[in-house]
Amino acid sequence: MLTISGVYAGYGGGDVLQGLDLEVPSGAITCIVGPNGAGKSTVLRVVSGLLKPRLGTVELDGVRLDQFGTAGVLGKGVAQVPQSQALFPQMTIRENVLLGGYTLRRDKQLLTKRYDRVAELIPIVAERSNDKAGNLSGGQRRMVEIARCLMVEPSVLLLDEPSLGLDPISLTGVSQLVKDANAGGTTVLLVEQNVRLGLSMATHGVVLEGGRVALEAAAGDLMANPEVAELYLGGAPSKAPAAAGSTAAAAGSAPAARSGDASTKR
Amino acid sequence: MTQLVQALVLGLLIGGVYALMASGLTLIFGVMNIINVAHGALLILVAFITWKTWSVTGIDPILLSIVMTPVMFGLGWALYKGVLSRISGTSPGMSVLLTFGIAITIEGVLNVTAGNRFRSATPSYFSQSYRVFGISLPKAQVYGCLAAVLVLGLLYLVLSRTWTGRAIRATAQNASGAALVGIQSAGVAALAFAIGTATTGVGGSVLSVLYPFFPASHYDWISRLLGIIVLGGMGSLAGALVGALILGLAETLTATYGSLQWSTLIFYAVIMIVLLFRPQGLFGSRLRQDVMA
């Protein structure tokens, strides 16, 4: 369980996160939605160690993460795919993916094994291994970014706007990749502007407003919530999405989801 | 014909030495976006120490680079940790101001301690040459160029074959992306600055033999070196090498077939002409993502 408690964090011009409390259930796909400036990406940056919280704690299964930098957080099994370009454009796809295993660099055998596994899972890694990353399309880049994260076999995968700038086909590929990673036991915390898409991928949903949790529930319940529908889905409540295979069971363990209804925290 | 070959060979030898001197500068810019205007002053500092040691002990000045390289590595590390890390993440313009201050300080210290006079180390082989197929190869130029090849080869191997090198290149290309794979950017930046400064250990030792210098010579050197890395593509090691060779050749050919006075002008004229057609420099590549914005 990833637990964020009483976190205040920002970028120098005041706090974006205003005492955020959030529990991300293990094994689930949790999607954070909310308006621009609500602090969605900031949550991920705080968890990954890119941004130190001013106050509050971040814990993974009882281990404090907020005391570490990015390398330390990665060492605890938390990897992030950021919103903007995260690859090394002048390096080849192979080099990019191998660098995902930078923290494992002393174990050559393990590194090779992981690379082969990732290349098998995500074909573009093998197909374009010698191409420069800067020459990939947006969708291909996203695939390689996720591949790079999978090198450490993360227990928690943080995804910032995975749909940003992707065409429908790429989107399906990325979405499937996320579900596959989750089916393999990885907890996923994602942030998405495309609320319908984000919640349809997720098992658990959180609405963030003003740096705090405004609503949280099972993703399907959240999509059916009239308030969410009005604000983010263009009016009519959506039908609950078909749960994604094994992820449905994981959603059942979500604390807010157990209640069945969206719980308002405002 | 012999004159042309002679000029070409000399141009390549000079270009090799220029590449050695520019390599550290381009590495530091590539990794940290720091335009290290003090790079020329550090070269002159090493040249002075080398000259002084040679004149007192008689130890070969180019061999002294074996000692000066680790010394400059340490100085580079200390400079980064003590001074430059404070402007980490700010604009390159800030680094110009700060490193210009460092350059002025070094120049002032050298003026006070060593005097404002031209110096040059003149070991026994200073005026000797090798004769190969009728071509004269000044020994000092050959040794200087060999040192350059050795350093550039080592730098290439470190950057392309080691995890440290990959971490340096990754940080240069995408600092936050590098942090997300567990690379400690502060440590990498200090290391890159130290390695870049360490190249002045060899470059300055070679300079002390090949070119007369005095404390304010660093202005001339830094303008040449910045010209080389702009021509090659800021941050590109291969670009610095090719840019340096082109400018070395242009200089020598102009001096041979024109006049010595024009050779300095041609140096900058080549840079201007190339930048008119390739604003990103020779090796500043444009990828798909560069034209997508």
Side-chain angles (χ1 to χ4, degrees):
Chain A
M1 170 90 76
L2 179 68
T3 311
I4 300 169
S5 311
V7 163
Y8 288 83
Y11 304 94
D15 291 327
V16 177
L17 300 182
Q18 304 269 353
L20 177 75
D21 292 307
L22 176 64
E23 290 188 341
V24 178
S26 297
I29 300 180
T30 301
C31 177
I32 302 177
V33 298
N36 282 335
K40 303 186 295 294
S41 297
T42 306
V43 176
L44 300 193
R45 287 190 195 119
V46 166
V47 175
S48 69
L50 278 175
L51 182 66
K52 282 260 175 236
R54 189 172 64 77
L55 282 172
T57 59
V58 180
E59 291 182 3
L60 178 65
D61 299 328
V63 178
R64 286 278 293 273
L65 296 182
D66 54 280
Q67 295 170 335
F68 297 111
T70 46
V73 173
L74 195 67
K76 299 293 170 200
V78 181
Q80 185 187 354
V81 178
Q83 189 184 98
S84 57
Q85 292 158 3
L87 297 180
F88 310 116
Q90 300 281 356
M91 292 192 190
T92 63
I93 310 298
R94 182 182 162 78
E95 283 180 305
N96 266 278
V97 175
L98 279 173
L99 268 164
Y102 181 77
T103 50
L104 315 167
R105 63 191 180 281
R106 302 200 198 292
D107 193 338
K108 236 178 177 177
Q109 254 184 335
L110 179 65
L111 203 63
T112 311
K113 204 174 118 192
R114 291 269 177 94
Y115 178 83
D116 290 343
R117 194 180 156 276
V118 168
E120 197 183 314
L121 194 70
I122 305 172
I124 191 170
V125 173
E127 286 162 10
R128 301 194 57 179
S129 63
N130 291 319
D131 286 355
K132 284 189 175 173
N135 283 328
L136 296 178
S137 70
Q140 291 167 333
R141 268 207 296 270
R142 268 284 185 253
M143 295 280 202
V144 176
E145 282 164 0
I146 294 173
R148 196 176 73 181
C149 282
L150 295 182
M151 283 293 287
V152 288
E153 293 193 346
S155 55
V156 179
L157 183 61
L158 310 171
L159 290 162
D160 198 349
E161 304 263 7
S163 75
L164 196 72
L166 300 194
D167 62 82
I169 294 172
S170 304
L171 208 53
T172 309
V174 170
S175 174
Q176 191 54 48
L177 205 55
V178 173
K179 287 175 181 168
D180 288 347
N182 177 247
T186 303
T187 300
V188 177
L189 176 60
L190 66 95
V191 157
E192 193 46 78
Q193 278 280 4
N194 183 338
V195 176
R196 194 180 301 275
L197 174 89
L199 290 178
S200 69
M201 276 165 71
T203 55
H204 184 62
V206 175
V207 178
L208 208 65
E209 280 180 17
R212 289 181 188 180
V213 173
L215 278 171
E216 60 180 312
D221 292 340
L222 212 55
M223 284 181 91
N225 181 299
E227 197 179 352
V228 172
E230 178 66 32
L231 286 171
Y232 303 112
L233 299 172
S238 293
K239 240 177 101 181
S246 63
T247 57
S253 66
R258 272 197 294 269
S259 65
D261 293 313
S263 58
T264 304
K265 290 203 168 182
R266 276 179 294 201
Chain B
M1 184 63 190
T2 311
Q3 194 187 25
L4 175 65
V5 176
Q6 174 76 62
L8 288 174
V9 170
L10 264 182
L12 290 175
L13 289 175
I14 289 172
V17 174
Y18 282 170
L20 163 67
M21 294 177 185
S23 59
L25 189 63
T26 203
L27 178 70
I28 288 169
F29 176 79
V31 176
M32 287 160 285
N33 264 0
I34 286 176
I35 300 172
N36 183 16
V37 179
H39 198 76
L42 289 164
L43 281 167
I44 299 297
L45 173 68
V46 173
F48 260 111
I49 296 171
T50 305
W51 166 79
K52 187 71 186 167
T53 313
W54 166 78
S55 57
V56 172
T57 65
I59 300 173
D60 183 84
I62 294 180
L63 270 185
L64 273 171
S65 59
I66 296 170
V67 178
M68 289 312 299
T69 303
V71 168
M72 294 311 285
F73 181 92
L75 179 64
W77 184 277
L79 264 180
Y80 184 82
K81 286 288 186 185
V83 184
L84 283 140
S85 60
R86 292 164 198 272
I87 58 156
S88 160
T90 59
S91 71
M94 187 66 86
S95 70
V96 172
L97 289 175
L98 181 57
T99 55
F100 186 63
I102 296 171
I104 295 284
T105 307
I106 293 172
E107 183 191 338
V109 169
L110 288 177
N111 266 326
V112 171
T113 55
N116 194 16
R117 278 189 296 156
F118 271 104
R119 317 276 185 183
S120 185
T122 50
S124 56
Y125 53 81
F126 180 72
S127 52
Q128 297 170 3
S129 295
Y130 292 111
R131 300 280 309 173
V132 180
F133 301 117
I135 306 292
S136 172
L137 302 172
K139 285 187 177 177
Q141 294 277 10
V142 172
Y143 298 155
C145 194
L146 282 177
V149 169
L150 188 70
V151 170
L152 291 171
L154 269 175
L155 259 184
Y156 173 77
L157 285 178
V158 167
L159 288 175
S160 62
R161 303 286 166 85
T162 67
W163 279 101
T164 304
R166 286 183 201 117
I168 288 175
R169 285 189 296 141
T171 308
Q173 292 173 36
N174 187 339
S176 66
L180 286 173
V181 297
I183 294 170
Q184 315 253 15
S185 60
V188 167
L191 189 63
F193 196 86
I195 292 174
T197 308
T199 63
T200 64
V202 187
S205 298
V206 171
L207 188 152
S208 74
V209 178
L210 295 184
Y211 304 95
F213 59 91
F214 72 112
S217 300
H218 72 95
Y219 294 111
D220 179 36
W221 278 105
I222 194 60
S223 21
R224 268 167 201 255
L225 300 181
L226 283 173
I228 287 168
I229 70 168
V230 167
L231 176 69
M234 298 284 279
S236 162
L237 201 59
L241 174 64
V242 174
L245 291 177
I246 289 174
L247 292 177
L249 283 171
E251 238 184 39
T252 320
L253 289 172
T254 311
T256 306
Y257 293 103
S259 76
L260 208 57
Q261 282 86 351
W262 280 95
S263 68
T264 310
L265 178 73
I266 202 76
F267 189 96
Y268 296 102
V270 169
I271 294 169
M272 280 176 61
I273 292 166
V274 170
L275 292 186
L276 275 177
F277 296 98
R278 277 189 71 84
Q280 72 271 35
L282 292 169
F283 277 65
S285 60
R286 275 158 71 87
L287 298 170
R288 179 179 179 154
Q289 71 173 44
D290 299 325
V291 289
M292 276 168 65

